[in-house]
Amino acid sequence: MRIPLSLAALVAGATVLALAGCTQAAEPTAEGATSDGAFTLYSGRDEALIQPLIDQFEETSGISVEVRYGNTAELGALLLEEGDATPAQVFLAQDAGALGALANADLFATLPAETTDAVPVGFTSTDDTWVGVTGRARVIAYDSEAMSAAEVPTSVDAFTDPAWAGKFGIAPTNASFQAFVTAYRVLNGEEAADEWVAAIAANSPVIFDNNRAILAAVNDGVIEAGLLNHYYWFAMAAETGEENMRAQLSYPEAGDAGSIVNVAGAGLLAGAAEDADALEFIDYLVGAKAQQYFVDETFEYPLIAGIDAPAGLPALDSLVNPDLDLADLDTLEDTQTLLGKHGLI
Amino acid sequence: MGWVTIEALRVAYGDRRVLDDVSLRIPRGSLVAVLGPSGCGKTTLLRAVAGLLPVASGTISVGGRLVTGPGVQRAPEKRGMGWVPQDASLFPHLTVGENIGFGLPRTKQNDDLYCEPGEAPSRVAGLLAGLRQRGRANRTGPASLRAGAALPANPRTVSLAHHPVAPGHNHLAPAPITPDRDRQTSRAARIAELATLVGLAELVDRAPSQLSGGQAQRVSLARALAPRPDLMLLDEPFAALDPLLRSALRTEVAALLRGQHNTSLLVTHDQEEALSLADFVAVMCGGEILQFGTPADVYERPVNPWVAGFVGDTVELDGLWRGGRVECALGSLAADWMGAQAVPAQSSGAPRGERTAASAPADGTGVCVLLRPEWLTLGARGSAQPTTDADVVAIAYAGHDALVTFALANSEKTVVRARIAAPDLPQLGDRVTLGICQNALAYPLFR
Amino acid sequence: MTELLIPPPETAATRAPARYRFGAPPWLLAVAALCAATAAIPLVYLVVRTTEAGLTELLDTLVRPRVLQLTINTALLAAAVTLSALVLGTICAWILTRIRLPFQRTLLLVSALPLAVPSYLAAYGWLVWFPHLNGFWASWFVMTMVCTPYVTLPVAAALRGASADLELVARTLGRGPLRAFAAATWPQIRPAAIAGALLVCLYSLSDFGLVSMLRLQTLTWGINAAYGASFDRNQAALLALVLVVLALVVVAGERRSRRQVASVPGRSTMPSRAPGRNGPFYVAVLVAAPLAGVVVPVVGLLSRLIEAETLRAIDVPRLLEAVGSTLGIALAAAVVAVLVALPIAALAARYSGRLVAVIEAVGFLGHALPGIVVGLSLVFFALAAVPMFYQTSVVLVFAYVVLFMPRAIGSVRSGIAAVPTSLGDVSRMLGLSPFQAWWRVTARLALPGIAIGALLVAISAMKELPATLLLRPTSVSTLATELWSRTALFEFGAAAPYAAALVLVAMVPAVLLSGIRGTAREN
């Protein structure tokens, strides 16, 4: 049975309101799930980006959300350390790798099919342990004072050219870069990937810790180009003004490994399998309202049908790669071995 | 019987034995000096008596109370002893007056001078303090009552120097019993009393950093005296002072201690200090007490040449024993045989000569002949001993007298030193006749 | 920090031992060992995690050239920063105490200010001005500027109390001013300088914020990458263990070089000189660290604020709430850290021996570990041992204690060591029980050292980020976490008030620190 999300929210909200009046204790709902009108969220996503949406959710559902902010990696490590003892019910992560690691450690409950079905294959887990919420395109940020848009490479292969030596930035320890290298391996084969990584490593890349720092460096003219996720640019532009941005974005041509989409997603922790409030929030994230919010406020790709991508971004369809499970840790490990072999991590 | 009795005391730092079977009896009201070189264990002995370090075995009792013994290790604060360390160790964060009053219990009524923030005594605490004081007074017994009564009526006019007491005066006069309450009436009064006693009444509000070394040591003494201890322990209290101040202060302190009828144990490495101040001297070396006796006994009848040398200057010669005389470079001298092992601690005041009777060696035995430089005289004056000619080879002038080095005429390699009073001083190169005014001391060789 | 208090000459015994010759009492050993055990929790955690990985994986990881590279970078950075902070700090302290400059008090206060600036903020501020800054020398420079006060303050205090007699003697024996200082005064201030340098060294080993901004790949970088990209806790633990080994070497080295220097008798202090023509030069040296460590970053941050398009209205209640929780937690951490450090410090100050050395060294461990490792280890520990305290302030405060106890240990230890043992003996003989004697005399006189320890812990706790993010009670924010959540996405406008508040709040203990003197009574 498939009911509209808003209706589900309405029903759940009404239930909660009714229950909140008489007791704080968890009560079984009609589906066997429990609801106590509150849940705890670990958010690897920044407060400024997600809190307004959570406020909206609280308002419409009547469920109160206790949020713990941190960066995705640290919260992932925290959840691994907490194991079953975690106070969290939902984990909202910035990258699929973290979600995959937790799924691999059996820390996630399986999500109902009606939740995961909303998101097309390729942007979500293959086994319903987590669901993709938004997509971020890999892009090349370039220094607009150093080159024109036409001069920007259309393929990541260009950065092996000695002309780029010491002028481009990467964040090899960052999950988003590793997902991109995984994509490269899947798309072009192990041999080609090995050659590319070796050539990049030999071409004096400027190593950063994270995407944000790469963008800042491009914008300051420290490097001429960098590989990162697209939405950082929009966040920075929102702060300093679009017209002041020295860094500009270029999208690699469709089909290039550099043009893949990374997803941010959410998972329901194993101990909260029956938590109706937590599940309602995840449903909310992949609902039309939240997806529109992400398009408007964070310039990310929506992952459900019927919502248009932010203006100026290439169509999501051109970036989909159905063969690739970005959360597949075995293949992530191979990627790390490859990067480690060439001294990048 | 001793007021303080130390029996078979042993202290070890790890495997190293620092005190070995030390026994000592200190008569009540007397000042006993423990004299020894650095590292001989004398400070360790003092700390063991104070309860500041654990002992391996042995007993210590004060006034019949066992403070250290098998299964007994009374805490330092419960021993009722006063402690004057070498460096004064005044509390730098307190004034002179507060230092003096540090050991006085504080009660609600008399806590008028010193009360630390957050430590204002409650009614209960005050009560407890009172009980402690009473307990201490009972334990202390008559000695401290007497001490309280022995104070001058008008302390302001009296300073230490005006209290000359003969060194040998250790006889306690009976004193009227002072009501216990009187002594507690005011801490402030007691502090003022002691400040006056040590001559620092004007300085009670000073900080310790503003005091001279001598003043600091007086405050330290007053602080230790304030709670009327059963036993005063003084750890080289004058060592850090300059010589002039040292001799002045130690005379004052000795007079003061006697004036208070205190039983005191003084540790020092300065033989002059020990001999001039103490009623009895215990000479220590290597963790053992080698000799215990009156200053004169220790100086004139040292149990072995080492003690002799440590306590004062000596003239040492090789000799042969011949029935009550020794044959040496100075001729055949009447001598006392010192070979018998003196029993330390119990031998106080043993009449001289008693030991000579014991087991004198066979004639012809080689002995070590020992004299004090002042036993050598110019000419035959006052001497029943043979005289000998000698040449003056060096003079160490010291004002009142001089230490003169002679080479003996009949044996130029033999050099002796004599202390000659200044008016009689010969010239360098003079040939003089040396006499000896006392029996020489003969010790077994290889001791 | 160390000898911020020098016993007045009267009590500086020529013979009173600073240490007892007897072994420590068993109860003190036991309590100190228990306190040190808190600092060993991360170590236990690391060993558990590492052994989970299996020997072959361990060896594989260890022999990777990258691990070697990270280790070398870490060791070189720590060594270079320690050395330069030691030299600059000593020179600053010398100028502060020996040259009669105008506004001396203010200059001392100013030289303490870099303590208030978190390293990540300093690095960020420099990047605003010089975006090209990166790598070893940039990290070395900014880190040195931030860390110098750790040396300046204790050395200045030690110099103030050092006897000048020996230096004057050395001058009369034909040594030049510099060589006389090295031969005569340096040995007196060396324990203070070395203890300050130890803090600098451990800090630069464990710091992540600065090296990540300035892109120097150290072990902490590797540890964060292991957690971040691969969720490989075992590898992270292994890298952290390498860090622990480095730290142990450093702590052992410090113990060896600390050596008890007998206090030199003599009351004369070096007369301060008029600056003469070199005045501007002296002032320039003094303000170098505050300029580079405070002014440049703060002004950089403000400039970004002015550029910011989205200058949001300052949410005053939220800012105040963050200030409140920062102060509250830092205060609690300071008090608890000092309490836990006290037995260890008392033991280390008064007794020697192998066991004492081990206990003290273990107490220092936490300081060498990055916050994320300590944070995770306490997650592990709290959930296993005290789940009811998990994600409460209790565990967070405990984490600060593990991380920053060493700062308290060092200063409390020298505070206690500066109190002659003879004072304790005298108090006992005057009827005080051991605890009364400790409370009324030793603790009272060691109070400046204890206060310094507490202030150092408070400053550090205010600035701490990674462990705070992991362990804070959900929905409680400190200034550091608020700052982090706003800089993560370029919101400089919104971040600026928090940055300013953090620096200002942390300045309070820094200013107090520069003002602490001995407790000896002065009329």
mmCIF file of all heavy atoms in Angstrom, chain B residues 13 47 76-77 81 86-87 89 92-93 95 106 116 205 207 223 235, chain C residues 11 13 15 21-22 422-423 425-426 428-429 431-433 440 444 521 523:
data_model
loop_
_atom_site.group_PDB
_atom_site.id
_atom_site.type_symbol
_atom_site.label_atom_id
_atom_site.label_comp_id
_atom_site.label_asym_id
_atom_site.label_seq_id
_atom_site.Cartn_x
_atom_site.Cartn_y
_atom_site.Cartn_z
ATOM 1 N N TYR B 13 67.547 3.574 55.027
ATOM 2 C CA TYR B 13 67.019 4.062 53.755
ATOM 3 C C TYR B 13 67.237 2.937 52.758
ATOM 4 O O TYR B 13 68.364 2.708 52.336
ATOM 5 C CB TYR B 13 67.767 5.296 53.268
ATOM 6 C CG TYR B 13 67.600 6.514 54.151
ATOM 7 C CD1 TYR B 13 68.699 7.232 54.591
ATOM 8 C CD2 TYR B 13 66.337 6.961 54.521
ATOM 9 C CE1 TYR B 13 68.549 8.358 55.379
ATOM 10 C CE2 TYR B 13 66.187 8.084 55.311
ATOM 11 C CZ TYR B 13 67.292 8.783 55.739
ATOM 12 O OH TYR B 13 67.138 9.895 56.510
ATOM 13 N N ARG B 47 65.128 13.290 63.306
ATOM 14 C CA ARG B 47 63.860 13.121 62.595
ATOM 15 C C ARG B 47 63.117 11.876 63.097
ATOM 16 O O ARG B 47 61.881 11.864 63.131
ATOM 17 C CB ARG B 47 64.099 13.034 61.091
ATOM 18 C CG ARG B 47 64.711 14.310 60.518
ATOM 19 C CD ARG B 47 64.976 14.169 59.024
ATOM 20 N NE ARG B 47 63.736 14.160 58.268
ATOM 21 C CZ ARG B 47 63.079 15.248 57.876
ATOM 22 N NH1 ARG B 47 63.563 16.442 58.183
ATOM 23 N NH2 ARG B 47 61.975 15.158 57.206
ATOM 24 N N PRO B 76 53.863 12.709 64.296
ATOM 25 C CA PRO B 76 54.697 13.820 64.789
ATOM 26 C C PRO B 76 53.879 14.854 65.556
ATOM 27 O O PRO B 76 54.340 15.386 66.568
ATOM 28 C CB PRO B 76 55.274 14.426 63.516
ATOM 29 C CG PRO B 76 55.151 13.381 62.471
ATOM 30 C CD PRO B 76 54.017 12.493 62.861
ATOM 31 N N GLU B 77 52.652 15.112 65.035
ATOM 32 C CA GLU B 77 51.864 16.168 65.665
ATOM 33 C C GLU B 77 51.330 15.749 67.023
ATOM 34 O O GLU B 77 50.816 16.564 67.775
ATOM 35 C CB GLU B 77 50.710 16.591 64.743
ATOM 36 C CG GLU B 77 49.671 15.509 64.477
ATOM 37 C CD GLU B 77 50.008 14.669 63.266
ATOM 38 O OE1 GLU B 77 51.196 14.634 62.887
ATOM 39 O OE2 GLU B 77 49.091 14.032 62.708
ATOM 40 N N MET B 81 56.438 17.665 70.669
ATOM 41 C CA MET B 81 57.833 18.088 70.581
ATOM 42 C C MET B 81 57.915 19.380 69.773
ATOM 43 O O MET B 81 57.086 19.646 68.924
ATOM 44 C CB MET B 81 58.665 17.016 69.881
ATOM 45 C CG MET B 81 58.696 15.693 70.639
ATOM 46 S SD MET B 81 59.653 14.485 69.743
ATOM 47 C CE MET B 81 59.378 13.040 70.749
ATOM 48 N N GLN B 86 67.180 23.836 60.620
ATOM 49 C CA GLN B 86 68.390 24.604 60.333
ATOM 50 C C GLN B 86 68.088 25.931 59.642
ATOM 51 O O GLN B 86 68.677 26.949 59.945
ATOM 52 C CB GLN B 86 69.292 23.765 59.438
ATOM 53 C CG GLN B 86 70.542 24.511 59.014
ATOM 54 C CD GLN B 86 71.362 23.689 58.057
ATOM 55 O OE1 GLN B 86 71.009 22.591 57.683
ATOM 56 N NE2 GLN B 86 72.487 24.227 57.663
ATOM 57 N N ASP B 87 67.121 25.880 58.705
ATOM 58 C CA ASP B 87 66.894 27.077 57.897
ATOM 59 C C ASP B 87 65.733 27.916 58.418
ATOM 60 O O ASP B 87 65.172 28.702 57.691
ATOM 61 C CB ASP B 87 66.613 26.658 56.456
ATOM 62 C CG ASP B 87 65.384 25.762 56.385
ATOM 63 O OD1 ASP B 87 64.919 25.339 57.454
ATOM 64 O OD2 ASP B 87 64.899 25.494 55.285
ATOM 65 N N SER B 89 62.810 27.881 58.402
ATOM 66 C CA SER B 89 61.564 27.421 57.780
ATOM 67 C C SER B 89 60.340 28.150 58.307
ATOM 68 O O SER B 89 59.393 27.544 58.758
ATOM 69 C CB SER B 89 61.375 25.907 57.992
ATOM 70 O OG SER B 89 62.286 25.195 57.217
ATOM 71 N N PRO B 92 56.226 31.443 54.793
ATOM 72 C CA PRO B 92 56.396 32.745 54.130
ATOM 73 C C PRO B 92 55.087 33.497 53.946
ATOM 74 O O PRO B 92 55.097 34.690 53.715
ATOM 75 C CB PRO B 92 57.015 32.379 52.778
ATOM 76 C CG PRO B 92 56.691 30.938 52.560
ATOM 77 C CD PRO B 92 56.530 30.314 53.916
ATOM 78 N N HIS B 93 53.948 32.789 54.039
ATOM 79 C CA HIS B 93 52.687 33.473 53.800
ATOM 80 C C HIS B 93 52.080 34.047 55.080
ATOM 81 O O HIS B 93 50.997 34.601 55.052
ATOM 82 C CB HIS B 93 51.680 32.535 53.133
ATOM 83 C CG HIS B 93 51.419 31.268 53.910
ATOM 84 N ND1 HIS B 93 52.419 30.477 54.408
ATOM 85 C CD2 HIS B 93 50.262 30.657 54.244
ATOM 86 C CE1 HIS B 93 51.888 29.432 55.029
ATOM 87 N NE2 HIS B 93 50.584 29.519 54.944
ATOM 88 N N THR B 95 52.685 36.259 58.916
ATOM 89 C CA THR B 95 53.534 37.231 59.587
ATOM 90 C C THR B 95 54.325 36.534 60.688
ATOM 91 O O THR B 95 54.085 35.364 61.001
ATOM 92 C CB THR B 95 52.716 38.348 60.243
ATOM 93 O OG1 THR B 95 51.883 37.743 61.233
ATOM 94 C CG2 THR B 95 51.848 39.071 59.231
ATOM 95 N N ARG B 106 43.411 27.177 68.197
ATOM 96 C CA ARG B 106 42.569 28.354 68.107
ATOM 97 C C ARG B 106 41.179 28.039 68.632
ATOM 98 O O ARG B 106 40.569 27.066 68.233
ATOM 99 C CB ARG B 106 42.472 28.815 66.669
ATOM 100 C CG ARG B 106 43.704 29.566 66.251
ATOM 101 C CD ARG B 106 43.729 29.710 64.765
ATOM 102 N NE ARG B 106 43.989 28.434 64.123
ATOM 103 C CZ ARG B 106 43.870 28.233 62.840
ATOM 104 N NH1 ARG B 106 43.471 29.203 62.077
ATOM 105 N NH2 ARG B 106 44.142 27.063 62.317
ATOM 106 N N GLU B 116 42.353 32.170 59.562
ATOM 107 C CA GLU B 116 42.437 32.142 58.117
ATOM 108 C C GLU B 116 41.052 32.159 57.505
ATOM 109 O O GLU B 116 40.109 31.632 58.084
ATOM 110 C CB GLU B 116 43.181 30.893 57.671
ATOM 111 C CG GLU B 116 44.601 30.933 58.118
ATOM 112 C CD GLU B 116 45.362 29.755 57.592
ATOM 113 O OE1 GLU B 116 45.224 29.435 56.412
ATOM 114 O OE2 GLU B 116 46.087 29.160 58.389
ATOM 115 N N ASP B 205 54.425 41.969 63.227
ATOM 116 C CA ASP B 205 53.626 42.151 62.017
ATOM 117 C C ASP B 205 54.465 42.077 60.747
ATOM 118 O O ASP B 205 53.954 42.243 59.641
ATOM 119 C CB ASP B 205 52.894 43.494 62.072
ATOM 120 C CG ASP B 205 51.844 43.495 63.161
ATOM 121 O OD1 ASP B 205 51.246 42.426 63.391
ATOM 122 O OD2 ASP B 205 51.649 44.549 63.805
ATOM 123 N N ALA B 207 56.821 40.486 57.701
ATOM 124 C CA ALA B 207 56.833 39.258 56.913
ATOM 125 C C ALA B 207 58.180 38.571 57.118
ATOM 126 O O ALA B 207 59.191 39.240 57.336
ATOM 127 C CB ALA B 207 56.650 39.581 55.443
ATOM 128 N N ARG B 223 58.361 29.953 67.843
ATOM 129 C CA ARG B 223 57.249 29.179 67.296
ATOM 130 C C ARG B 223 57.236 27.770 67.892
ATOM 131 O O ARG B 223 56.188 27.235 68.243
ATOM 132 C CB ARG B 223 57.399 29.110 65.782
ATOM 133 C CG ARG B 223 56.336 28.308 65.081
ATOM 134 C CD ARG B 223 56.529 28.329 63.592
ATOM 135 N NE ARG B 223 57.789 27.692 63.205
ATOM 136 C CZ ARG B 223 58.227 27.609 61.950
ATOM 137 N NH1 ARG B 223 57.530 28.149 60.977
ATOM 138 N NH2 ARG B 223 59.364 27.027 61.682
ATOM 139 N N ASP B 235 67.732 21.279 64.924
ATOM 140 C CA ASP B 235 68.535 20.674 63.875
ATOM 141 C C ASP B 235 69.518 21.703 63.323
ATOM 142 O O ASP B 235 69.183 22.482 62.448
ATOM 143 C CB ASP B 235 67.602 20.174 62.762
ATOM 144 C CG ASP B 235 68.362 19.449 61.679
ATOM 145 O OD1 ASP B 235 69.563 19.182 61.875
ATOM 146 O OD2 ASP B 235 67.765 19.156 60.634
ATOM 147 N N THR C 11 63.444 30.874 52.924
ATOM 148 C CA THR C 11 63.038 29.482 53.019
ATOM 149 C C THR C 11 63.762 28.596 52.004
ATOM 150 O O THR C 11 63.609 27.404 52.009
ATOM 151 C CB THR C 11 61.528 29.330 52.780
ATOM 152 O OG1 THR C 11 61.245 29.858 51.477
ATOM 153 C CG2 THR C 11 60.733 30.054 53.837
ATOM 154 N N ALA C 13 66.076 26.600 51.380
ATOM 155 C CA ALA C 13 67.028 25.950 52.269
ATOM 156 C C ALA C 13 68.253 25.512 51.512
ATOM 157 O O ALA C 13 68.189 25.120 50.368
ATOM 158 C CB ALA C 13 66.368 24.740 52.888
ATOM 159 N N ARG C 15 69.878 23.080 52.693
ATOM 160 C CA ARG C 15 69.951 21.655 52.916
ATOM 161 C C ARG C 15 68.598 20.972 52.895
ATOM 162 O O ARG C 15 68.531 19.765 52.716
ATOM 163 C CB ARG C 15 70.642 21.382 54.255
ATOM 164 C CG ARG C 15 71.468 20.125 54.242
ATOM 165 C CD ARG C 15 71.932 19.828 55.623
ATOM 166 N NE ARG C 15 70.864 20.038 56.593
ATOM 167 C CZ ARG C 15 70.881 19.536 57.807
ATOM 168 N NH1 ARG C 15 71.913 18.810 58.197
ATOM 169 N NH2 ARG C 15 69.902 19.755 58.645
ATOM 170 N N ARG C 21 63.816 11.168 50.799
ATOM 171 C CA ARG C 21 64.655 10.050 50.420
ATOM 172 C C ARG C 21 63.903 8.742 50.525
ATOM 173 O O ARG C 21 64.301 7.736 49.972
ATOM 174 C CB ARG C 21 65.894 10.020 51.303
ATOM 175 C CG ARG C 21 66.905 11.072 50.893
ATOM 176 C CD ARG C 21 68.253 10.730 51.436
ATOM 177 N NE ARG C 21 68.324 11.109 52.840
ATOM 178 C CZ ARG C 21 69.369 10.825 53.611
ATOM 179 N NH1 ARG C 21 70.381 10.139 53.121
ATOM 180 N NH2 ARG C 21 69.397 11.189 54.868
ATOM 181 N N PHE C 22 62.809 8.771 51.246
ATOM 182 C CA PHE C 22 62.051 7.536 51.397
ATOM 183 C C PHE C 22 61.121 7.335 50.226
ATOM 184 O O PHE C 22 60.781 8.270 49.518
ATOM 185 C CB PHE C 22 61.221 7.583 52.684
ATOM 186 C CG PHE C 22 62.040 7.314 53.888
ATOM 187 C CD1 PHE C 22 62.531 8.353 54.647
ATOM 188 C CD2 PHE C 22 62.369 6.013 54.228
ATOM 189 C CE1 PHE C 22 63.310 8.104 55.748
ATOM 190 C CE2 PHE C 22 63.138 5.757 55.326
ATOM 191 C CZ PHE C 22 63.621 6.810 56.098
ATOM 192 N N SER C 422 60.650 21.124 54.551
ATOM 193 C CA SER C 422 60.829 21.420 55.971
ATOM 194 C C SER C 422 59.611 22.149 56.541
ATOM 195 O O SER C 422 59.302 22.012 57.721
ATOM 196 C CB SER C 422 62.087 22.258 56.170
ATOM 197 O OG SER C 422 61.954 23.492 55.503
ATOM 198 N N LEU C 423 58.898 22.911 55.687
ATOM 199 C CA LEU C 423 57.707 23.600 56.194
ATOM 200 C C LEU C 423 56.644 22.596 56.608
ATOM 201 O O LEU C 423 55.938 22.794 57.609
ATOM 202 C CB LEU C 423 57.148 24.540 55.120
ATOM 203 C CG LEU C 423 57.981 25.772 54.820
ATOM 204 C CD1 LEU C 423 57.269 26.661 53.824
ATOM 205 C CD2 LEU C 423 58.265 26.548 56.091
ATOM 206 N N ASP C 425 57.291 19.554 57.656
ATOM 207 C CA ASP C 425 57.766 18.954 58.902
ATOM 208 C C ASP C 425 57.448 19.855 60.090
ATOM 209 O O ASP C 425 56.963 19.406 61.127
ATOM 210 C CB ASP C 425 59.284 18.737 58.838
ATOM 211 C CG ASP C 425 59.657 17.688 57.813
ATOM 212 O OD1 ASP C 425 58.754 16.933 57.399
ATOM 213 O OD2 ASP C 425 60.829 17.626 57.423
ATOM 214 N N VAL C 426 57.743 21.136 59.897
ATOM 215 C CA VAL C 426 57.509 22.071 60.997
ATOM 216 C C VAL C 426 56.036 22.090 61.386
ATOM 217 O O VAL C 426 55.700 22.056 62.570
ATOM 218 C CB VAL C 426 57.986 23.486 60.591
ATOM 219 C CG1 VAL C 426 57.479 24.514 61.576
ATOM 220 C CG2 VAL C 426 59.501 23.523 60.525
ATOM 221 N N ARG C 428 53.866 19.746 61.017
ATOM 222 C CA ARG C 428 53.537 18.518 61.742
ATOM 223 C C ARG C 428 53.976 18.627 63.192
ATOM 224 O O ARG C 428 53.240 18.298 64.116
ATOM 225 C CB ARG C 428 54.237 17.308 61.101
ATOM 226 C CG ARG C 428 53.784 16.940 59.719
ATOM 227 C CD ARG C 428 52.344 16.464 59.662
ATOM 228 N NE ARG C 428 52.078 15.274 60.456
ATOM 229 C CZ ARG C 428 52.375 14.035 60.096
ATOM 230 N NH1 ARG C 428 52.950 13.804 58.942
ATOM 231 N NH2 ARG C 428 52.101 13.012 60.876
ATOM 232 N N MET C 429 55.185 19.126 63.383
ATOM 233 C CA MET C 429 55.717 19.223 64.736
ATOM 234 C C MET C 429 54.929 20.228 65.566
ATOM 235 O O MET C 429 54.976 20.202 66.782
ATOM 236 C CB MET C 429 57.188 19.637 64.705
ATOM 237 C CG MET C 429 58.106 18.662 64.019
ATOM 238 S SD MET C 429 58.022 17.016 64.714
ATOM 239 C CE MET C 429 58.633 17.320 66.357
ATOM 240 N N GLY C 431 51.780 20.369 65.581
ATOM 241 C CA GLY C 431 50.495 19.805 65.971
ATOM 242 C C GLY C 431 49.494 19.635 64.844
ATOM 243 O O GLY C 431 48.336 19.339 65.097
ATOM 244 N N LEU C 432 49.912 19.841 63.573
ATOM 245 C CA LEU C 432 48.963 19.676 62.481
ATOM 246 C C LEU C 432 49.012 18.245 61.951
ATOM 247 O O LEU C 432 50.083 17.657 61.835
ATOM 248 C CB LEU C 432 49.298 20.637 61.340
ATOM 249 C CG LEU C 432 48.531 21.967 61.341
ATOM 250 C CD1 LEU C 432 48.678 22.670 62.659
ATOM 251 C CD2 LEU C 432 48.997 22.841 60.200
ATOM 252 N N SER C 433 47.856 17.723 61.603
ATOM 253 C CA SER C 433 47.821 16.404 60.982
ATOM 254 C C SER C 433 48.348 16.555 59.560
ATOM 255 O O SER C 433 48.456 17.660 59.051
ATOM 256 C CB SER C 433 46.391 15.894 60.953
ATOM 257 O OG SER C 433 45.656 16.626 59.999
ATOM 258 N N ARG C 440 46.960 23.828 55.106
ATOM 259 C CA ARG C 440 47.283 25.166 55.612
ATOM 260 C C ARG C 440 48.631 25.669 55.124
ATOM 261 O O ARG C 440 48.885 26.871 55.137
ATOM 262 C CB ARG C 440 47.261 25.167 57.144
ATOM 263 C CG ARG C 440 45.844 25.334 57.690
ATOM 264 C CD ARG C 440 45.827 25.309 59.184
ATOM 265 N NE ARG C 440 46.590 26.389 59.795
ATOM 266 C CZ ARG C 440 46.801 26.491 61.097
ATOM 267 N NH1 ARG C 440 46.297 25.588 61.898
ATOM 268 N NH2 ARG C 440 47.505 27.477 61.582
ATOM 269 N N ARG C 444 48.539 25.983 50.395
ATOM 270 C CA ARG C 444 48.442 27.437 50.409
ATOM 271 C C ARG C 444 49.610 28.066 49.651
ATOM 272 O O ARG C 444 49.448 28.991 48.863
ATOM 273 C CB ARG C 444 48.434 27.926 51.862
ATOM 274 C CG ARG C 444 48.003 29.325 52.068
ATOM 275 C CD ARG C 444 46.574 29.575 51.603
ATOM 276 N NE ARG C 444 45.601 28.681 52.231
ATOM 277 C CZ ARG C 444 45.007 28.952 53.376
ATOM 278 N NH1 ARG C 444 45.267 30.050 53.995
ATOM 279 N NH2 ARG C 444 44.149 28.116 53.882
ATOM 280 N N ARG C 521 54.509 36.469 51.729
ATOM 281 C CA ARG C 521 53.985 37.721 52.249
ATOM 282 C C ARG C 521 54.959 38.846 51.989
ATOM 283 O O ARG C 521 56.148 38.720 52.203
ATOM 284 C CB ARG C 521 53.791 37.581 53.756
ATOM 285 C CG ARG C 521 52.428 37.937 54.188
ATOM 286 C CD ARG C 521 52.377 37.957 55.680
ATOM 287 N NE ARG C 521 51.582 39.091 56.054
ATOM 288 C CZ ARG C 521 50.265 39.007 56.253
ATOM 289 N NH1 ARG C 521 49.665 37.874 56.122
ATOM 290 N NH2 ARG C 521 49.589 40.072 56.570
ATOM 291 N N ASN C 523 55.374 42.888 52.825
ATOM 292 C CA ASN C 523 54.788 44.073 53.475
ATOM 293 C C ASN C 523 55.160 45.311 52.662
ATOM 294 O O ASN C 523 56.289 45.441 52.265
ATOM 295 C CB ASN C 523 55.342 44.238 54.884
ATOM 296 C CG ASN C 523 54.801 43.167 55.795
ATOM 297 O OD1 ASN C 523 54.685 42.012 55.389
ATOM 298 N ND2 ASN C 523 54.466 43.535 57.006
#
